[in-house]
Amino acid sequence: MTPRPATASARSVDEYRDTLAALLAHLGDRPAEQVPVPDALGRTLSADVVSPIDLPVFRNSAMDGYAVRAADVAVTPVTLPVAGVVAAGKPGTAPLPAGAALKVMTGAPMPPGADCVVPVEDVQAGDGRIVVERGRGRGEFVREAGTDVRTGELVARAGTVLAPRHIAALAAVGLATVPVLSRLRAACITTGDELRPAGSALAPGQIYNSNGIALAAALRADGVEVVEIAHSTDDPARFTAVLREATAVADLIFTSGGVSKGDFEVVKDVLTPLGGTFGSVAVQPGGPQGYTVVDGVPVLSFPGNPVSTMVSYAVFARPTVRALAGLPEPESRETTLLTALRSPAGRRQYLRGLLTDDGVEVISGPGSHLIAGMAWADVLVDVPAEVTSLTAGAPVRILTL
Amino acid sequence: MTPRPATASARSVDEYRDTLAALLAHLGDRPAEQVPVPDALGRTLSADVVSPIDLPVFRNSAMDGYAVRAADVAVTPVTLPVAGVVAAGKPGTAPLPAGAALKVMTGAPMPPGADCVVPVEDVQAGDGRIVVERGRGRGEFVREAGTDVRTGELVARAGTVLAPRHIAALAAVGLATVPVLSRLRAACITTGDELRPAGSALAPGQIYNSNGIALAAALRADGVEVVEIAHSTDDPARFTAVLREATAVADLIFTSGGVSKGDFEVVKDVLTPLGGTFGSVAVQPGGPQGYTVVDGVPVLSFPGNPVSTMVSYAVFARPTVRALAGLPEPESRETTLLTALRSPAGRRQYLRGLLTDDGVEVISGPGSHLIAGMAWADVLVDVPAEVTSLTAGAPVRILTL
């Protein structure tokens, strides 16, 4: 029998999550990245962004109509000669002659001398003159320069996750690029001789490999760039080679499988001599856990059962990963348990639940292999370690998936 | 003066939104697309997906431990010889000899004859035999084949927007690809001589072009593939050429600008002879609207003020675009107005609002040029056409941006 490496004693969920958060803290220091505004949707601003210009850039008309002096239309109806047309985008606006009107399009620069716009609906036009039927006061239908945002004023704050409305504002002030948090680059390494890729035929004893694909999807949903999804057999030399490839390209590595109490635990066997810490967390699913720093890159090692991998990510890594991406914390709140449940003593249990208007229903069993069952769940039901049973109607915490 | 084409009379917001929904309805008939499961995150299943296999694929151990007959460990402590090891992924499992144990790893096939697993924690092992300290009943720590999902059973329903948990289940049942709704391909065409691209210097009377970038971001957030962001001057020949290029690559085209009552309305002037319908909707911002079908492709024409473009999309097109992408409707609900407001008679008004725990605060003015102000808003405050003022504390509907 392979000698079993020493393991840390069982830790609490909160303690282990905090341990991993500390291990990943330095990833918050990565440099920002300048991205083109059209590509910045969903990215997180790394710095406050201020406007390089006044917006509106110049005093302009809010309507299609006629730029006039308010004093000239104080008494209506009044007839004014139309001295010309100011179109949007045409430079060199001539001043408004005294006692006249200049036709203006929406957004066109206000001619010097004009102080209001009479909308086209309020005039009768013809033969080079207009009859103004309703006057306007000074400033009406005039957009003054800088009234939306002034040069140097904030357009969006550091930490803003850019929505279409932010993209619109950044583009409107003429910014070509914005500084955003660079994406974490993660690699996912699955292990196990029995795993086969999707679409292949299964020999006896083989199963499909889902953990790399699933973990990558979870990471991408949390703003991470997944640079590699790799698989290793249970051969230590092979795993070592795959791991070293990953450390060359990733900021952060996840492994699944090979951390439990079997005879062939490739992840634990390879990483323990490299300084890895392997042990038990008082949680179900996802008890066996490990972490190592290899070539300066944190390696988080989850157990290989598909539900264990996904729950481990959600509970231990996701809050930190999202914080590093500048995304809000996963929602965790109290609701009403709709179905009675039992739970093992001494282990915090995360059951799969379906949220309804009335509370949360536990669906699927506690088994860490029930990955198809997990697809129907939208939350994890968080049962404290000391609780061994809950009746329907009890308050319970949920964690959104 | 250019002769003004006939315009439809002012329509209500609901009527115009329904008109556009009918115009786009045929886009719901587009063929589904098979995408690799790893690339399917966020896509919408176009058909029910059933499992091609039983999961678990075979009867296997839920623990690292020893496969035994429950009857042999009914009285403990009991000593059993260890007849061998069954590792995960090793084919050709030998049957369990009578009165013996076989060491099993988590996930390894149960040897024929064994009916339970004694976890490694519950035995003392050494010298080719184990002392079982706690017995187990038939079936304990055994995962029966098909208990997660059976061949032919539903894994995810048509219409499911694929989250990481669905990707996990689809991968676990060995599917390489899944059928999803193909993305709508949209083109955005901005118009106006005065518009300049981000990063360029502005001559007098020029402004930055933001509508194409902003609309593209809104469309991408709603699951649309933006295949082109183009700009045209106010020259009809140029606009016609840009439009024809777009009809060749897009399912749906958006234009901004050139639909109002000015003298130079390139979009209206070019599209009206092609059968376009242009007119007023009783809404602010976003009153002047138009739609046309060019070469079989629907063209939705929004006014060019940046806020008008974004509100027009949100109010008139977004519900249909999201429905076509299989995404949920934008949230619209009642809340409490925190700030008094005024609104023009006869026009439904959409003001920019910021949602708080107490209700909604109107931020920024009603001006359709206040695009930087809109960045701070997360909802539109929906003021009915017949309402001219509301006091703080009044109930009001909001539409999530």
Side-chain angles (χ1 to χ4, degrees):
Chain A
M1 197 185 290
T2 311
R4 197 128 302 291
T7 60
S9 58
R11 307 179 184 215
S12 76
V13 166
D14 290 346
E15 185 191 344
Y16 193 64
R17 188 189 50 232
D18 292 350
T19 298
L20 296 191
L23 190 76
L24 305 187
H26 70 282
L27 296 175
D29 300 332
R30 65 199 189 285
E33 184 183 346
Q34 285 283 334
V35 298
V37 169
D39 300 337
L41 183 68
R43 302 296 294 267
T44 304
L45 283 185
S46 62
D48 287 353
V49 173
V50 299
S51 180
I53 57 167
D54 280 359
L55 204 67
V57 179
F58 48 85
R59 191 169 181 251
N60 70 85
S61 173
M63 297 292 277
D64 294 329
Y66 294 86
V68 297
R69 285 181 183 80
D72 291 342
V73 295
V75 179
T76 54
V78 58
T79 300
L80 299 176
V82 179
V85 180
V86 187
K90 299 288 184 292
T93 302
L96 175 67
L102 276 165
K103 185 158 193 181
V104 287
M105 306 305 149
T106 305
M110 285 293 285
D115 59 15
C116 72
V117 173
V118 177
V120 71
E121 295 91 328
D122 292 346
V123 307
Q124 297 287 347
D127 282 339
R129 53 191 58 231
I130 53 170
V131 180
V132 175
E133 293 170 337
R134 179 182 170 191
R136 293 291 173 173
R138 287 172 66 104
E140 270 197 89
F141 298 120
V142 177
R143 301 166 178 164
E144 298 293 341
T147 45
D148 188 11
V149 67
R150 288 187 193 284
T151 306
E153 275 184 355
L154 198 61
V155 177
R157 265 186 242 287
T160 301
V161 180
L162 295 171
R165 65 184 191 273
H166 303 112
I167 301 291
L170 295 166
V173 299
L175 291 166
T177 65
V178 282
V180 299
L181 296 180
S182 60
R183 292 193 195 280
L184 280 181
R185 292 163 302 166
C188 303
I189 305 175
T190 55
T191 63
D193 289 347
E194 74 279 23
L195 301 180
R196 297 288 298 154
S200 52
L202 296 180
Q206 295 182 332
I207 62 173
Y208 288 112
N209 186 359
S210 65
N211 281 339
I213 294 167
L215 200 47
L219 287 162
R220 287 178 182 134
D222 288 337
V224 174
E225 180 186 359
V226 178
V227 292
E228 191 175 10
I229 305 177
H231 178 68
S232 168
T233 62
D234 288 322
D235 172 39
R238 177 78 195 124
F239 176 69
T240 303
V242 170
L243 183 71
R244 295 287 178 185
E245 276 172 36
T247 61
V249 295
D251 301 317
L252 176 60
I253 298 171
F254 294 86
T255 69
S256 75
V259 295
S260 188
K261 294 176 181 162
D263 285 354
F264 317 107
E265 303 291 359
V266 66
V267 172
K268 188 157 72 172
D269 296 348
V270 167
L271 290 177
T272 300
L274 298 179
T277 301
F278 287 81
S280 282
V281 178
V283 68
Q284 182 180 308
Q289 293 286 333
Y291 62 90
T292 317
V293 176
V294 181
D295 302 340
V297 179
V299 180
L300 310 189
S301 296
F302 297 151
N305 279 310
V307 175
S308 302
T309 297
M310 294 303 273
V311 171
S312 295
Y313 174 71
V315 171
F316 298 128
R318 192 172 182 231
T320 302
V321 165
R322 286 183 65 87
L324 289 169
L327 299 175
E329 261 191 283
E331 192 196 14
S332 170
R333 64 182 173 84
E334 202 169 86
T335 187
T336 302
L337 181 67
L338 299 176
T339 39
L341 63 81
R342 306 196 56 176
S343 192
R347 288 186 188 186
R348 188 158 165 182
Q349 189 176 212
Y350 289 91
L351 290 162
R352 275 66 77 200
L354 184 65
L355 210 54
T356 70
D357 288 345
D358 301 322
V360 66
E361 185 186 347
V362 172
I363 60 167
S364 164
S368 58
H369 62 298
L370 301 172
I371 190 66
M374 189 169 180
W376 303 100
D378 49 14
V379 298
L380 294 175
V381 180
D382 177 356
V383 186
E386 68 278 9
V387 171
T388 54
S389 69
L390 286 173
T391 53
V396 73
R397 283 202 79 76
I398 53 152
L399 179 66
T400 302
L401 281 169
Chain B
M1 196 183 288
T2 311
R4 196 128 302 291
T7 60
S9 57
R11 308 178 183 218
S12 77
V13 166
D14 290 347
E15 186 192 344
Y16 193 65
R17 187 188 53 231
D18 292 350
T19 297
L20 296 191
L23 190 75
L24 305 187
H26 70 282
L27 296 176
D29 299 332
R30 65 200 190 283
E33 184 184 348
Q34 284 283 335
V35 299
V37 169
D39 301 337
L41 182 68
R43 302 296 293 267
T44 304
L45 282 186
S46 61
D48 287 354
V49 173
V50 299
S51 181
I53 58 168
D54 280 358
L55 204 67
V57 179
F58 49 85
R59 190 170 182 249
N60 70 85
S61 173
M63 297 291 279
D64 294 329
Y66 294 86
V68 298
R69 286 181 184 78
D72 290 343
V73 295
V75 179
T76 54
V78 58
T79 300
L80 298 176
V82 178
V85 180
V86 187
K90 298 289 184 292
T93 303
L96 175 69
L102 277 165
K103 184 159 192 179
V104 288
M105 306 304 150
T106 305
M110 285 292 286
D115 58 17
C116 72
V117 174
V118 177
V120 72
E121 296 90 328
D122 292 346
V123 307
Q124 297 286 349
D127 282 339
R129 53 190 60 229
I130 54 170
V131 181
V132 175
E133 294 171 336
R134 178 182 170 190
R136 292 291 173 173
R138 287 173 65 104
E140 271 196 88
F141 298 121
V142 176
R143 301 166 178 164
E144 299 294 341
T147 45
D148 189 10
V149 67
R150 287 187 193 284
T151 305
E153 275 184 355
L154 198 61
V155 178
R157 266 186 242 287
T160 301
V161 180
L162 295 171
R165 65 184 191 273
H166 303 113
I167 301 291
L170 295 166
V173 300
L175 290 167
T177 64
V178 282
V180 299
L181 297 180
S182 60
R183 291 193 195 281
L184 280 181
R185 292 164 302 165
C188 303
I189 305 174
T190 54
T191 63
D193 289 347
E194 75 279 22
L195 301 180
R196 296 288 299 152
S200 53
L202 296 181
Q206 294 184 333
I207 62 173
Y208 288 113
N209 186 358
S210 65
N211 282 337
I213 293 168
L215 199 48
L219 287 162
R220 286 178 182 133
D222 289 337
V224 174
E225 181 187 358
V226 178
V227 291
E228 190 175 13
I229 306 176
H231 177 67
S232 168
T233 61
D234 288 320
D235 172 38
R238 178 79 194 124
F239 176 68
T240 303
V242 170
L243 183 72
R244 296 286 178 185
E245 276 173 37
T247 61
V249 295
D251 301 317
L252 176 59
I253 298 171
F254 294 87
T255 68
S256 76
V259 295
S260 189
K261 294 176 183 162
D263 285 354
F264 317 107
E265 302 291 359
V266 66
V267 171
K268 189 159 70 173
D269 296 347
V270 166
L271 290 177
T272 300
L274 298 179
T277 301
F278 287 81
S280 281
V281 178
V283 68
Q284 180 180 309
Q289 293 286 333
Y291 62 89
T292 318
V293 177
V294 181
D295 302 342
V297 179
V299 180
L300 310 189
S301 297
F302 297 152
N305 278 311
V307 175
S308 301
T309 297
M310 294 303 272
V311 171
S312 295
Y313 174 71
V315 171
F316 298 127
R318 192 170 181 231
T320 302
V321 165
R322 286 183 65 87
L324 289 169
L327 299 175
E329 261 191 281
E331 191 194 15
S332 170
R333 64 182 172 84
E334 202 168 85
T335 187
T336 302
L337 182 67
L338 300 176
T339 39
L341 63 82
R342 305 195 59 176
S343 192
R347 288 185 188 186
R348 189 157 165 181
Q349 189 176 212
Y350 289 92
L351 290 162
R352 275 67 77 200
L354 184 65
L355 210 54
T356 71
D357 288 345
D358 300 322
V360 65
E361 185 186 346
V362 172
I363 61 169
S364 161
S368 57
H369 62 298
L370 300 171
I371 191 66
M374 189 170 180
W376 304 98
D378 49 14
V379 296
L380 293 176
V381 180
D382 178 356
V383 186
E386 68 279 9
V387 172
T388 54
S389 69
L390 286 172
T391 53
V396 73
R397 283 202 81 76
I398 53 153
L399 178 66
T400 303
L401 281 170

